[in-house]
Structure formats: C-alpha cells, structure tokens
Amino acid sequence: MAQANITEFKILGVLQHSHVDGVRITTRHFRDGRELPLLITDPNNDFNFQDLRTLPEEIAVHPVYT
C-alpha cells in the first residue's frame, strides 16, 4: 500500500474458502495488533456452497507503517 500511495481500501464482501474438511470459517481483521470486530463467520461451512458474501457495511482497511 505504501508503494502505491494508497491510504485505505474498502472490503465490500468476503469469499471464504475451505477444502472438504473445513467445517467452520471465521474471517478476522486486525489493526495495530488489536482485533477489530469480526468481518464474517460461517459456523456451518458447506464445501459445495462457496460464494461471495456481501457485508452489511463497508469495512475500511488502513496500512500499518513501521
């Protein structure tokens, strides 16, 4: 992000992926070592249904410069 001079991007949806053995998936978001609210969780993952799931609101992702 720093090389492209991007200050943020927005997550509009999540495409969770698991192979056949996956039974639940949680997508988490961290910023500055702190966990932010969950993006999405699927406690009943179905390998045969893997689709883009839109989020109820956009989530901003900001770079962490060290």
Side-chain angles (χ1 to χ4, degrees):
M1 291 177 71
Q3 290 176 340
N5 199 27
I6 296 171
T7 59
E8 78 173 20
F9 65 86
K10 305 279 182 149
I11 299 174
L12 306 173
V14 177
L15 179 63
Q16 295 174 306
H17 174 76
S18 175
H19 293 272
V20 178
D21 291 338
V23 294
R24 66 179 102 20
I25 303 175
T26 299
T27 303
R28 300 165 24 174
H29 180 199
F30 291 83
R31 183 178 296 143
D32 293 327
R34 190 172 51 96
E35 185 171 3
L36 300 175
L38 288 176
L39 291 178
I40 192 167
T41 188
D42 183 357
N44 302 302
N45 180 59
D46 180 354
F47 174 75
N48 295 306
F49 179 75
Q50 296 186 38
D51 197 8
L52 178 68
R53 296 176 187 184
T54 56
L55 297 175
E57 60 185 53
E58 296 177 351
I59 305 295
V61 176
H62 300 104
V64 177
Y65 298 111
T66 58

